[in-house]
Amino acid sequence: MQGSPRPYANPYLAGFGLGLVLLAAFVLMGRGLGASAAFSALAAVIVEWISPGHAAANPFFSRYLGPGGGLEEWLVWEVAGVFVGGLVSGLLGNRVRPAVERGPRVGVPVRLVLAFLGGLFMGVGAKIAGGCTSGQALTGGALLNVGSWVTMICIFGGAYALAWLLRKEWT
Amino acid sequence: MNAPFYKFDVFGDTAALGVAFAIGLGMGWFLERAGFGSATKLAKQFYFRDLAVLKVMFTAIVTAMVGLFLAAQLGWVDLSLMYLQPTVLWANVVGGLLLGVGFIIGGLCPGTSVVSVATGRIDAFLFVMGVLASQFLVGEAWPLFAGISEAGEMGQITLPGLLGVPYGLVVLAVVLMAAGAFVAAEWAEVRFGGVDRAAQPLLGAGWRARNAPRVLLASLAGLALLGMAGGDPYRGPRVVIDERELALLIQKEADHVTVDDLATWIVEGRMEVRLIDLRHPAAYAAGTIPGAENVPLADLPAAEIEPGERVVLFSQGQTHAAQAWMLLRARGMRNTYSLLGGMDEWNDRILFPELPAEPPPDQAAEVERRRALALRFGGSPRVEAAAGAPVAVPLPAAMSPPAGVAPPAAPIPTAAPVKKKKKREGC
């Protein structure tokens, strides 16, 4: 944690690398990247742990359980990899440090509440849209999937529409 | 090359989880390198100050898109086997807007939040908790969300399919659009973000630094143009079946033959029958029905079969054969049958039938016929004692080797009695 963090990579180079990872997923698995369904599977596992009957009776949770679900869900392992990959890259770049990311005009408690709220919105949005920025925008974008491009445009649209209202959080 | 490898069964489900972890490693690495572990950096996208989100995302999209397109055109990857999330128009619109709202409020998205937590960000931890909490919410209130998440179903559809234009043209258009967006992004960062390009060159100073993105985009555009010469990359065979016709055929049991029929056909030799063993080559090598050729199920779509040819398909049980029957019927093969009961039934009824030791006189002829049939195909009947319990007789390794088109007339005596294993097919 000593010394200054190394600068980030050139975005085009990072994007090229990320694109190759996505291509590898296509060639190896016949599917792309994702993230949000890992959270759904994790939630389903927790519900099942607390009350197996309740989880089995629920049409949403039960979808993420059973063979190939729960902790055997592909995206759970992928997201575990994301965590480790991010950690290794951060350590090598001297960028791992406990911090609360916020704009200069917002306090820590407000930022933390907003972060939780943002997660809530994104989690609900991802389940309605059929994926998040990774599964829909990135993966479906590369597959020229109509729904993914609609989702991608709406993600940017929604964020830009609210950006002015939330300027105090970030600028 | 048969890709996607997982779909061609090159590796199994357990290995797939290892692949998932490795792919995640790469994803996490590049997201962190790009600075996406930082919510403040991500949020700057929406104030036109730092457009790394747009640059990284679109570079990744065009890279993977052109790479996949070319691989498909070269025949390395079957694009029609790629999982395509169905388009649900209103769900995509509403869900997308909510994702956008969450993005600007939280400054992260589910993928980047994991990287952000990994690099110690406390706000990201709260974000992750929010995403997790939302899943309990969605699950408990699923009826509320089920309606909207199904509103505007359009099925699996791509932009080229929707617009009715060649796939390669859309690929090229997206590359050019990305190039335009990058030029605008560079301009916006200078204009709104106060970025001094002279002081902060993209990759450092020099020609390579300035031009690396240009070279990449120009190459991708060139490759897309090249790929356009290959026509439509979706090459998966598409067929239309008459559901009613097939349902009626199945109902009147005109879709299969029994092992007795097949054995009679072979013995009498009156009919040209092409026998196809759909099992794995190892199972085929261990023993099959005389005269059968091996076409593992996954190779069936590529097998050359004449439309009028009489074909009998068999597997270990009968499920795969029945399913293969559907595939061939869908391709217009009108004279195909599946073998009822498959190899299991062939072994039970033809090779090793249970026959009474002292049959009643009216059944003697039939019993003798079955005994002869078993011997003819190299099996041996199991003799039932008068009390009804089968007497254990040493069974010869009578499963015919695949090469032997003509079955031996007499059972092959072998030293080691084969214990008949009844392996029922799980699938």
Side-chain angles (χ1 to χ4, degrees), chain A residues 9 12 27-28 30 40 54 58 74 89 95 99 101 111 129-130 144-145 147 160 163 169-170, chain B residues 4 6 32-33 38 40 45 47 83 85 87 92 104-106 121-123 135 139-140 159 186:
Chain A
Y12 299 106
V27 172
L28 290 169
S40 314
H54 183 71
N58 183 296
W74 197 82
S89 170
R95 289 185 290 263
E101 294 264 348
R111 167 63 190 132
L144 302 178
N145 188 349
Y160 274 110
E169 188 187 359
W170 302 114
Chain B
Y6 174 72
E32 204 288 329
R33 294 272 114 172
S38 159
T40 43
Q45 165 74 34
Y47 300 93
Y83 175 68
Q85 179 96 352
T87 293
N92 293 141
I104 191 67
I105 295 177
R121 303 309 197 273
I122 296 148
D123 52 311
Q135 300 309 294
E140 294 308 329
L159 289 170
E186 294 299 330

mmCIF file of all heavy atoms in Angstrom, chain A residues 9 12 27-28 30 40 54 58 74 89 95 99 101 111 129-130 144-145 147 160 163 169-170, chain B residues 4 6 32-33 38 40 45 47 83 85 87 92 104-106 121-123 135 139-140 159 186:
data_model
loop_
_atom_site.group_PDB
_atom_site.id
_atom_site.type_symbol
_atom_site.label_atom_id
_atom_site.label_comp_id
_atom_site.label_asym_id
_atom_site.label_seq_id
_atom_site.Cartn_x
_atom_site.Cartn_y
_atom_site.Cartn_z
ATOM 1 N N ALA A 9 -4.217 1.568 -17.541
ATOM 2 C CA ALA A 9 -3.797 1.241 -18.911
ATOM 3 C C ALA A 9 -4.521 2.140 -19.906
ATOM 4 O O ALA A 9 -5.551 2.727 -19.588
ATOM 5 C CB ALA A 9 -4.108 -0.216 -19.203
ATOM 6 N N TYR A 12 -7.990 1.872 -24.834
ATOM 7 C CA TYR A 12 -8.161 1.077 -26.061
ATOM 8 C C TYR A 12 -7.454 -0.275 -25.930
ATOM 9 O O TYR A 12 -7.938 -1.291 -26.400
ATOM 10 C CB TYR A 12 -7.629 1.837 -27.287
ATOM 11 C CG TYR A 12 -8.360 3.138 -27.514
ATOM 12 C CD1 TYR A 12 -7.763 4.354 -27.219
ATOM 13 C CD2 TYR A 12 -9.657 3.148 -28.026
ATOM 14 C CE1 TYR A 12 -8.426 5.556 -27.419
ATOM 15 C CE2 TYR A 12 -10.338 4.338 -28.222
ATOM 16 C CZ TYR A 12 -9.706 5.542 -27.927
ATOM 17 O OH TYR A 12 -10.381 6.713 -28.119
ATOM 18 N N VAL A 27 -15.571 -18.731 -28.001
ATOM 19 C CA VAL A 27 -14.988 -19.901 -28.664
ATOM 20 C C VAL A 27 -15.000 -21.121 -27.739
ATOM 21 O O VAL A 27 -15.304 -22.229 -28.161
ATOM 22 C CB VAL A 27 -13.552 -19.588 -29.136
ATOM 23 C CG1 VAL A 27 -12.862 -20.838 -29.640
ATOM 24 C CG2 VAL A 27 -13.569 -18.521 -30.222
ATOM 25 N N LEU A 28 -14.673 -20.907 -26.455
ATOM 26 C CA LEU A 28 -14.603 -22.043 -25.537
ATOM 27 C C LEU A 28 -15.997 -22.521 -25.128
ATOM 28 O O LEU A 28 -16.270 -23.716 -25.112
ATOM 29 C CB LEU A 28 -13.809 -21.660 -24.286
ATOM 30 C CG LEU A 28 -12.310 -21.443 -24.476
ATOM 31 C CD1 LEU A 28 -11.707 -20.816 -23.234
ATOM 32 C CD2 LEU A 28 -11.620 -22.767 -24.773
ATOM 33 N N GLY A 30 -19.267 -20.909 -26.018
ATOM 34 C CA GLY A 30 -20.478 -20.603 -26.785
ATOM 35 C C GLY A 30 -21.383 -19.636 -26.049
ATOM 36 O O GLY A 30 -22.565 -19.552 -26.321
ATOM 37 N N SER A 40 -27.766 -13.539 -8.404
ATOM 38 C CA SER A 40 -29.049 -14.234 -8.276
ATOM 39 C C SER A 40 -28.827 -15.624 -7.702
ATOM 40 O O SER A 40 -29.556 -16.064 -6.809
ATOM 41 C CB SER A 40 -29.718 -14.351 -9.646
ATOM 42 O OG SER A 40 -29.674 -13.137 -10.335
ATOM 43 N N HIS A 54 -38.985 -22.927 0.981
ATOM 44 C CA HIS A 54 -39.342 -21.618 0.442
ATOM 45 C C HIS A 54 -38.640 -21.372 -0.890
ATOM 46 O O HIS A 54 -39.242 -20.880 -1.850
ATOM 47 C CB HIS A 54 -38.960 -20.530 1.449
ATOM 48 C CG HIS A 54 -39.346 -19.156 1.023
ATOM 49 N ND1 HIS A 54 -40.655 -18.735 1.001
ATOM 50 C CD2 HIS A 54 -38.612 -18.110 0.571
ATOM 51 C CE1 HIS A 54 -40.707 -17.480 0.563
ATOM 52 N NE2 HIS A 54 -39.475 -17.088 0.290
ATOM 53 N N ASN A 58 -40.329 -21.039 -4.838
ATOM 54 C CA ASN A 58 -40.253 -19.727 -5.476
ATOM 55 C C ASN A 58 -39.767 -19.857 -6.919
ATOM 56 O O ASN A 58 -38.701 -20.411 -7.176
ATOM 57 C CB ASN A 58 -39.294 -18.842 -4.659
ATOM 58 C CG ASN A 58 -39.213 -17.439 -5.226
ATOM 59 O OD1 ASN A 58 -38.753 -17.250 -6.345
ATOM 60 N ND2 ASN A 58 -39.666 -16.472 -4.469
ATOM 61 N N TRP A 74 -22.238 -21.345 -13.641
ATOM 62 C CA TRP A 74 -21.044 -20.935 -14.376
ATOM 63 C C TRP A 74 -20.595 -19.528 -13.985
ATOM 64 O O TRP A 74 -19.413 -19.264 -13.761
ATOM 65 C CB TRP A 74 -21.346 -21.014 -15.884
ATOM 66 C CG TRP A 74 -20.132 -21.005 -16.735
ATOM 67 C CD1 TRP A 74 -19.338 -22.063 -17.039
ATOM 68 C CD2 TRP A 74 -19.555 -19.871 -17.404
ATOM 69 N NE1 TRP A 74 -18.309 -21.670 -17.852
ATOM 70 C CE2 TRP A 74 -18.419 -20.329 -18.099
ATOM 71 C CE3 TRP A 74 -19.891 -18.516 -17.497
ATOM 72 C CZ2 TRP A 74 -17.618 -19.488 -18.877
ATOM 73 C CZ3 TRP A 74 -19.090 -17.678 -18.263
ATOM 74 C CH2 TRP A 74 -17.968 -18.170 -18.937
ATOM 75 N N SER A 89 -4.398 -7.707 -10.465
ATOM 76 C CA SER A 89 -4.054 -6.530 -11.258
ATOM 77 C C SER A 89 -3.884 -5.304 -10.360
ATOM 78 O O SER A 89 -2.955 -4.516 -10.538
ATOM 79 C CB SER A 89 -5.147 -6.271 -12.298
ATOM 80 O OG SER A 89 -4.949 -5.029 -12.905
ATOM 81 N N ARG A 95 -2.696 -0.420 -6.637
ATOM 82 C CA ARG A 95 -3.945 0.339 -6.594
ATOM 83 C C ARG A 95 -4.943 -0.221 -5.577
ATOM 84 O O ARG A 95 -6.079 0.209 -5.542
ATOM 85 C CB ARG A 95 -4.585 0.348 -7.985
ATOM 86 C CG ARG A 95 -3.847 1.214 -9.000
ATOM 87 C CD ARG A 95 -4.586 1.268 -10.311
ATOM 88 N NE ARG A 95 -4.540 -0.003 -11.014
ATOM 89 C CZ ARG A 95 -3.679 -0.306 -11.983
ATOM 90 N NH1 ARG A 95 -2.797 0.586 -12.376
ATOM 91 N NH2 ARG A 95 -3.697 -1.476 -12.571
ATOM 92 N N ALA A 99 -10.860 2.582 0.540
ATOM 93 C CA ALA A 99 -11.274 3.958 0.271
ATOM 94 C C ALA A 99 -12.756 3.979 -0.036
ATOM 95 O O ALA A 99 -13.345 2.950 -0.349
ATOM 96 C CB ALA A 99 -10.490 4.515 -0.930
ATOM 97 N N GLU A 101 -14.980 5.769 -2.702
ATOM 98 C CA GLU A 101 -14.914 6.575 -3.921
ATOM 99 C C GLU A 101 -16.086 7.549 -3.927
ATOM 100 O O GLU A 101 -17.246 7.142 -3.870
ATOM 101 C CB GLU A 101 -15.008 5.654 -5.148
ATOM 102 C CG GLU A 101 -13.825 4.731 -5.299
ATOM 103 C CD GLU A 101 -12.778 5.289 -6.248
ATOM 104 O OE1 GLU A 101 -13.074 6.280 -6.961
ATOM 105 O OE2 GLU A 101 -11.662 4.730 -6.283
ATOM 106 N N ARG A 111 -22.645 8.882 0.362
ATOM 107 C CA ARG A 111 -22.094 8.085 -0.740
ATOM 108 C C ARG A 111 -22.375 6.590 -0.531
ATOM 109 O O ARG A 111 -22.722 5.871 -1.463
ATOM 110 C CB ARG A 111 -20.592 8.344 -0.871
ATOM 111 C CG ARG A 111 -19.837 7.382 -1.758
ATOM 112 C CD ARG A 111 -20.289 7.431 -3.222
ATOM 113 N NE ARG A 111 -19.702 6.324 -3.987
ATOM 114 C CZ ARG A 111 -20.375 5.537 -4.797
ATOM 115 N NH1 ARG A 111 -21.656 5.718 -4.997
ATOM 116 N NH2 ARG A 111 -19.769 4.561 -5.443
ATOM 117 N N ALA A 129 -34.118 -6.703 -17.526
ATOM 118 C CA ALA A 129 -33.528 -6.588 -18.863
ATOM 119 C C ALA A 129 -32.956 -7.914 -19.349
ATOM 120 O O ALA A 129 -32.680 -8.069 -20.533
ATOM 121 C CB ALA A 129 -32.433 -5.522 -18.856
ATOM 122 N N GLY A 130 -32.762 -8.865 -18.451
ATOM 123 C CA GLY A 130 -32.167 -10.140 -18.869
ATOM 124 C C GLY A 130 -30.656 -10.087 -18.881
ATOM 125 O O GLY A 130 -30.015 -10.822 -19.628
ATOM 126 N N LEU A 144 -24.365 -8.712 -31.875
ATOM 127 C CA LEU A 144 -25.345 -7.925 -32.630
ATOM 128 C C LEU A 144 -26.769 -8.314 -32.253
ATOM 129 O O LEU A 144 -27.676 -8.331 -33.088
ATOM 130 C CB LEU A 144 -25.122 -8.082 -34.142
ATOM 131 C CG LEU A 144 -23.734 -7.673 -34.642
ATOM 132 C CD1 LEU A 144 -23.608 -7.906 -36.143
ATOM 133 C CD2 LEU A 144 -23.454 -6.213 -34.321
ATOM 134 N N ASN A 145 -26.960 -8.608 -30.971
ATOM 135 C CA ASN A 145 -28.274 -8.986 -30.459
ATOM 136 C C ASN A 145 -29.146 -7.731 -30.325
ATOM 137 O O ASN A 145 -28.733 -6.750 -29.713
ATOM 138 C CB ASN A 145 -28.085 -9.659 -29.092
ATOM 139 C CG ASN A 145 -29.370 -10.265 -28.579
ATOM 140 O OD1 ASN A 145 -30.447 -10.032 -29.126
ATOM 141 N ND2 ASN A 145 -29.260 -11.039 -27.531
ATOM 142 N N GLY A 147 -31.950 -7.046 -28.637
ATOM 143 C CA GLY A 147 -32.309 -6.680 -27.264
ATOM 144 C C GLY A 147 -31.137 -6.098 -26.493
ATOM 145 O O GLY A 147 -31.306 -5.214 -25.657
ATOM 146 N N TYR A 160 -27.327 9.102 -18.378
ATOM 147 C CA TYR A 160 -27.136 10.497 -18.789
ATOM 148 C C TYR A 160 -28.319 11.366 -18.360
ATOM 149 O O TYR A 160 -28.158 12.523 -17.976
ATOM 150 C CB TYR A 160 -26.931 10.593 -20.306
ATOM 151 C CG TYR A 160 -25.475 10.401 -20.697
ATOM 152 C CD1 TYR A 160 -25.052 9.265 -21.364
ATOM 153 C CD2 TYR A 160 -24.532 11.386 -20.386
ATOM 154 C CE1 TYR A 160 -23.726 9.076 -21.711
ATOM 155 C CE2 TYR A 160 -23.198 11.216 -20.733
ATOM 156 C CZ TYR A 160 -22.799 10.058 -21.386
ATOM 157 O OH TYR A 160 -21.482 9.904 -21.722
ATOM 158 N N ALA A 163 -27.819 12.280 -14.804
ATOM 159 C CA ALA A 163 -26.484 12.745 -14.419
ATOM 160 C C ALA A 163 -26.527 14.144 -13.815
ATOM 161 O O ALA A 163 -25.858 14.424 -12.810
ATOM 162 C CB ALA A 163 -25.555 12.709 -15.630
ATOM 163 N N GLU A 169 -22.946 14.289 -6.409
ATOM 164 C CA GLU A 169 -22.315 13.058 -5.930
ATOM 165 C C GLU A 169 -20.945 12.854 -6.576
ATOM 166 O O GLU A 169 -20.056 12.244 -5.997
ATOM 167 C CB GLU A 169 -23.226 11.853 -6.230
ATOM 168 C CG GLU A 169 -22.717 10.558 -5.590
ATOM 169 C CD GLU A 169 -23.504 9.330 -6.008
ATOM 170 O OE1 GLU A 169 -24.471 9.466 -6.777
ATOM 171 O OE2 GLU A 169 -23.134 8.228 -5.573
ATOM 172 N N TRP A 170 -20.790 13.339 -7.797
ATOM 173 C CA TRP A 170 -19.609 12.974 -8.569
ATOM 174 C C TRP A 170 -18.682 14.112 -8.937
ATOM 175 O O TRP A 170 -17.518 13.870 -9.251
ATOM 176 C CB TRP A 170 -20.033 12.264 -9.862
ATOM 177 C CG TRP A 170 -20.850 11.030 -9.585
ATOM 178 C CD1 TRP A 170 -22.158 10.828 -9.890
ATOM 179 C CD2 TRP A 170 -20.395 9.842 -8.933
ATOM 180 N NE1 TRP A 170 -22.554 9.598 -9.481
ATOM 181 C CE2 TRP A 170 -21.495 8.964 -8.892
ATOM 182 C CE3 TRP A 170 -19.180 9.437 -8.380
ATOM 183 C CZ2 TRP A 170 -21.406 7.703 -8.309
ATOM 184 C CZ3 TRP A 170 -19.088 8.185 -7.810
ATOM 185 C CH2 TRP A 170 -20.193 7.330 -7.778
ATOM 186 N N PRO B 4 -18.050 -23.624 -30.707
ATOM 187 C CA PRO B 4 -17.598 -23.590 -29.314
ATOM 188 C C PRO B 4 -17.356 -24.988 -28.721
ATOM 189 O O PRO B 4 -18.199 -25.860 -28.827
ATOM 190 C CB PRO B 4 -18.743 -22.874 -28.592
ATOM 191 C CG PRO B 4 -19.917 -22.955 -29.497
ATOM 192 C CD PRO B 4 -19.394 -23.039 -30.875
ATOM 193 N N TYR B 6 -17.194 -26.297 -25.702
ATOM 194 C CA TYR B 6 -18.065 -26.853 -24.674
ATOM 195 C C TYR B 6 -19.298 -27.500 -25.310
ATOM 196 O O TYR B 6 -19.707 -28.580 -24.923
ATOM 197 C CB TYR B 6 -18.485 -25.745 -23.704
ATOM 198 C CG TYR B 6 -19.502 -26.168 -22.679
ATOM 199 C CD1 TYR B 6 -19.152 -27.006 -21.638
ATOM 200 C CD2 TYR B 6 -20.825 -25.726 -22.752
ATOM 201 C CE1 TYR B 6 -20.084 -27.392 -20.691
ATOM 202 C CE2 TYR B 6 -21.767 -26.101 -21.815
ATOM 203 C CZ TYR B 6 -21.388 -26.945 -20.792
ATOM 204 O OH TYR B 6 -22.311 -27.330 -19.859
ATOM 205 N N GLU B 32 -9.799 -3.977 -14.157
ATOM 206 C CA GLU B 32 -9.017 -3.245 -13.163
ATOM 207 C C GLU B 32 -7.966 -2.382 -13.847
ATOM 208 O O GLU B 32 -7.787 -1.217 -13.501
ATOM 209 C CB GLU B 32 -8.371 -4.226 -12.177
ATOM 210 C CG GLU B 32 -8.029 -3.615 -10.820
ATOM 211 C CD GLU B 32 -6.851 -2.668 -10.856
ATOM 212 O OE1 GLU B 32 -5.938 -2.883 -11.686
ATOM 213 O OE2 GLU B 32 -6.827 -1.709 -10.066
ATOM 214 N N ARG B 33 -7.288 -2.966 -14.864
ATOM 215 C CA ARG B 33 -6.280 -2.200 -15.626
ATOM 216 C C ARG B 33 -6.887 -0.923 -16.206
ATOM 217 O O ARG B 33 -6.246 0.102 -16.318
ATOM 218 C CB ARG B 33 -5.752 -3.034 -16.812
ATOM 219 C CG ARG B 33 -4.976 -4.253 -16.444
ATOM 220 C CD ARG B 33 -3.530 -3.954 -16.263
ATOM 221 N NE ARG B 33 -3.169 -4.160 -14.873
ATOM 222 C CZ ARG B 33 -1.921 -4.121 -14.424
ATOM 223 N NH1 ARG B 33 -0.904 -3.880 -15.242
ATOM 224 N NH2 ARG B 33 -1.672 -4.299 -13.155
ATOM 225 N N SER B 38 -12.786 1.883 -9.948
ATOM 226 C CA SER B 38 -13.009 3.176 -9.311
ATOM 227 C C SER B 38 -14.336 3.769 -9.774
ATOM 228 O O SER B 38 -14.508 4.091 -10.951
ATOM 229 C CB SER B 38 -11.857 4.132 -9.663
ATOM 230 O OG SER B 38 -12.263 5.472 -9.476
ATOM 231 N N THR B 40 -15.563 6.698 -9.127
ATOM 232 C CA THR B 40 -15.458 8.086 -9.586
ATOM 233 C C THR B 40 -14.992 8.151 -11.035
ATOM 234 O O THR B 40 -15.459 8.986 -11.806
ATOM 235 C CB THR B 40 -14.485 8.888 -8.705
ATOM 236 O OG1 THR B 40 -13.336 8.091 -8.455
ATOM 237 C CG2 THR B 40 -15.110 9.273 -7.390
ATOM 238 N N GLN B 45 -17.728 9.278 -16.974
ATOM 239 C CA GLN B 45 -18.283 9.016 -18.297
ATOM 240 C C GLN B 45 -19.520 9.886 -18.547
ATOM 241 O O GLN B 45 -19.708 10.421 -19.626
ATOM 242 C CB GLN B 45 -18.668 7.532 -18.397
ATOM 243 C CG GLN B 45 -19.581 7.167 -19.559
ATOM 244 C CD GLN B 45 -18.872 7.161 -20.892
ATOM 245 O OE1 GLN B 45 -17.700 6.820 -20.985
ATOM 246 N NE2 GLN B 45 -19.572 7.578 -21.937
ATOM 247 N N TYR B 47 -20.335 12.729 -17.325
ATOM 248 C CA TYR B 47 -20.123 14.172 -17.313
ATOM 249 C C TYR B 47 -19.134 14.550 -18.415
ATOM 250 O O TYR B 47 -18.571 15.634 -18.399
ATOM 251 C CB TYR B 47 -19.654 14.617 -15.923
ATOM 252 C CG TYR B 47 -20.687 14.265 -14.860
ATOM 253 C CD1 TYR B 47 -20.604 13.066 -14.166
ATOM 254 C CD2 TYR B 47 -21.775 15.097 -14.627
ATOM 255 C CE1 TYR B 47 -21.576 12.707 -13.249
ATOM 256 C CE2 TYR B 47 -22.752 14.751 -13.697
ATOM 257 C CZ TYR B 47 -22.649 13.547 -13.019
ATOM 258 O OH TYR B 47 -23.620 13.201 -12.123
ATOM 259 N N TYR B 83 -24.887 -18.708 -27.667
ATOM 260 C CA TYR B 83 -26.134 -18.417 -26.959
ATOM 261 C C TYR B 83 -26.554 -16.970 -27.199
ATOM 262 O O TYR B 83 -25.797 -16.043 -26.920
ATOM 263 C CB TYR B 83 -25.995 -18.660 -25.454
ATOM 264 C CG TYR B 83 -27.247 -18.235 -24.727
ATOM 265 C CD1 TYR B 83 -28.427 -18.950 -24.917
ATOM 266 C CD2 TYR B 83 -27.280 -17.105 -23.926
ATOM 267 C CE1 TYR B 83 -29.604 -18.553 -24.303
ATOM 268 C CE2 TYR B 83 -28.454 -16.706 -23.301
ATOM 269 C CZ TYR B 83 -29.608 -17.432 -23.500
ATOM 270 O OH TYR B 83 -30.777 -17.022 -22.908
ATOM 271 N N GLN B 85 -29.277 -14.265 -26.193
ATOM 272 C CA GLN B 85 -30.363 -13.928 -25.266
ATOM 273 C C GLN B 85 -31.566 -13.444 -26.072
ATOM 274 O O GLN B 85 -31.423 -12.576 -26.928
ATOM 275 C CB GLN B 85 -29.852 -12.813 -24.345
ATOM 276 C CG GLN B 85 -30.848 -12.337 -23.345
ATOM 277 C CD GLN B 85 -30.655 -13.026 -22.019
ATOM 278 O OE1 GLN B 85 -29.873 -13.950 -21.901
ATOM 279 N NE2 GLN B 85 -31.372 -12.588 -21.028
ATOM 280 N N THR B 87 -34.635 -11.386 -27.375
ATOM 281 C CA THR B 87 -34.990 -9.981 -27.239
ATOM 282 C C THR B 87 -36.392 -9.881 -26.657
ATOM 283 O O THR B 87 -37.317 -10.522 -27.143
ATOM 284 C CB THR B 87 -34.944 -9.289 -28.613
ATOM 285 O OG1 THR B 87 -33.584 -9.254 -29.047
ATOM 286 C CG2 THR B 87 -35.486 -7.874 -28.537
ATOM 287 N N ASN B 92 -36.248 -5.009 -22.065
ATOM 288 C CA ASN B 92 -34.933 -4.446 -22.340
ATOM 289 C C ASN B 92 -34.933 -2.928 -22.119
ATOM 290 O O ASN B 92 -33.984 -2.372 -21.569
ATOM 291 C CB ASN B 92 -34.498 -4.753 -23.780
ATOM 292 C CG ASN B 92 -34.251 -6.230 -24.025
ATOM 293 O OD1 ASN B 92 -34.588 -6.759 -25.068
ATOM 294 N ND2 ASN B 92 -33.685 -6.908 -23.034
ATOM 295 N N ILE B 104 -25.647 5.518 -12.521
ATOM 296 C CA ILE B 104 -25.277 6.889 -12.157
ATOM 297 C C ILE B 104 -25.422 7.118 -10.646
ATOM 298 O O ILE B 104 -24.671 7.894 -10.052
ATOM 299 C CB ILE B 104 -26.083 7.932 -12.981
ATOM 300 C CG1 ILE B 104 -25.517 9.342 -12.800
ATOM 301 C CG2 ILE B 104 -27.550 7.919 -12.625
ATOM 302 C CD1 ILE B 104 -24.146 9.542 -13.373
ATOM 303 N N ILE B 105 -26.353 6.407 -10.014
ATOM 304 C CA ILE B 105 -26.481 6.556 -8.553
ATOM 305 C C ILE B 105 -25.324 5.836 -7.840
ATOM 306 O O ILE B 105 -24.697 6.374 -6.940
ATOM 307 C CB ILE B 105 -27.840 5.991 -8.047
ATOM 308 C CG1 ILE B 105 -28.990 6.829 -8.608
ATOM 309 C CG2 ILE B 105 -27.885 6.000 -6.519
ATOM 310 C CD1 ILE B 105 -30.364 6.306 -8.214
ATOM 311 N N GLY B 106 -25.057 4.620 -8.296
ATOM 312 C CA GLY B 106 -24.059 3.805 -7.602
ATOM 313 C C GLY B 106 -22.648 3.996 -8.128
ATOM 314 O O GLY B 106 -21.677 3.724 -7.436
ATOM 315 N N ARG B 121 -12.431 -1.039 -2.180
ATOM 316 C CA ARG B 121 -13.355 0.099 -2.105
ATOM 317 C C ARG B 121 -14.574 -0.250 -1.247
ATOM 318 O O ARG B 121 -15.286 -1.224 -1.522
ATOM 319 C CB ARG B 121 -13.799 0.541 -3.496
ATOM 320 C CG ARG B 121 -12.652 0.918 -4.432
ATOM 321 C CD ARG B 121 -11.698 1.926 -3.783
ATOM 322 N NE ARG B 121 -10.862 2.576 -4.777
ATOM 323 C CZ ARG B 121 -9.695 2.083 -5.207
ATOM 324 N NH1 ARG B 121 -9.249 0.936 -4.750
ATOM 325 N NH2 ARG B 121 -8.994 2.750 -6.101
ATOM 326 N N ILE B 122 -14.806 0.578 -0.252
ATOM 327 C CA ILE B 122 -15.896 0.312 0.700
ATOM 328 C C ILE B 122 -17.254 0.624 0.074
ATOM 329 O O ILE B 122 -18.241 -0.072 0.317
ATOM 330 C CB ILE B 122 -15.671 1.130 1.993
ATOM 331 C CG1 ILE B 122 -14.376 0.628 2.672
ATOM 332 C CG2 ILE B 122 -16.834 0.987 2.962
ATOM 333 C CD1 ILE B 122 -13.628 1.684 3.428
ATOM 334 N N ASP B 123 -17.302 1.670 -0.761
ATOM 335 C CA ASP B 123 -18.562 1.982 -1.440
ATOM 336 C C ASP B 123 -18.987 0.808 -2.337
ATOM 337 O O ASP B 123 -20.174 0.499 -2.453
ATOM 338 C CB ASP B 123 -18.429 3.260 -2.264
ATOM 339 C CG ASP B 123 -17.236 3.226 -3.203
ATOM 340 O OD1 ASP B 123 -16.137 2.880 -2.738
ATOM 341 O OD2 ASP B 123 -17.406 3.515 -4.396
ATOM 342 N N GLN B 135 -31.757 -9.003 -5.265
ATOM 343 C CA GLN B 135 -32.121 -10.336 -5.731
ATOM 344 C C GLN B 135 -33.133 -10.990 -4.802
ATOM 345 O O GLN B 135 -34.024 -11.711 -5.243
ATOM 346 C CB GLN B 135 -30.882 -11.234 -5.888
ATOM 347 C CG GLN B 135 -29.865 -10.688 -6.875
ATOM 348 C CD GLN B 135 -30.491 -10.314 -8.204
ATOM 349 O OE1 GLN B 135 -30.974 -11.153 -8.956
ATOM 350 N NE2 GLN B 135 -30.510 -9.023 -8.510
ATOM 351 N N GLY B 139 -36.835 -11.844 -6.030
ATOM 352 C CA GLY B 139 -37.315 -13.206 -5.826
ATOM 353 C C GLY B 139 -38.619 -13.233 -5.054
ATOM 354 O O GLY B 139 -39.569 -13.915 -5.425
ATOM 355 N N GLU B 140 -38.684 -12.448 -3.975
ATOM 356 C CA GLU B 140 -39.890 -12.457 -3.143
ATOM 357 C C GLU B 140 -41.067 -11.806 -3.846
ATOM 358 O O GLU B 140 -42.216 -12.165 -3.618
ATOM 359 C CB GLU B 140 -39.621 -11.755 -1.803
ATOM 360 C CG GLU B 140 -38.616 -12.474 -0.906
ATOM 361 C CD GLU B 140 -38.953 -13.943 -0.688
ATOM 362 O OE1 GLU B 140 -40.146 -14.291 -0.689
ATOM 363 O OE2 GLU B 140 -38.018 -14.757 -0.531
ATOM 364 N N LEU B 159 -29.407 -7.843 -35.136
ATOM 365 C CA LEU B 159 -29.618 -6.620 -35.904
ATOM 366 C C LEU B 159 -29.654 -6.900 -37.412
ATOM 367 O O LEU B 159 -30.549 -6.414 -38.100
ATOM 368 C CB LEU B 159 -28.527 -5.595 -35.569
ATOM 369 C CG LEU B 159 -28.620 -4.960 -34.177
ATOM 370 C CD1 LEU B 159 -27.369 -4.151 -33.875
ATOM 371 C CD2 LEU B 159 -29.855 -4.079 -34.077
ATOM 372 N N GLU B 186 -12.545 11.570 -27.660
ATOM 373 C CA GLU B 186 -11.265 12.257 -27.484
ATOM 374 C C GLU B 186 -11.481 13.773 -27.455
ATOM 375 O O GLU B 186 -10.889 14.490 -26.642
ATOM 376 C CB GLU B 186 -10.292 11.891 -28.622
ATOM 377 C CG GLU B 186 -9.863 10.426 -28.632
ATOM 378 C CD GLU B 186 -9.124 9.999 -27.376
ATOM 379 O OE1 GLU B 186 -8.454 10.845 -26.770
ATOM 380 O OE2 GLU B 186 -9.246 8.814 -27.004
#
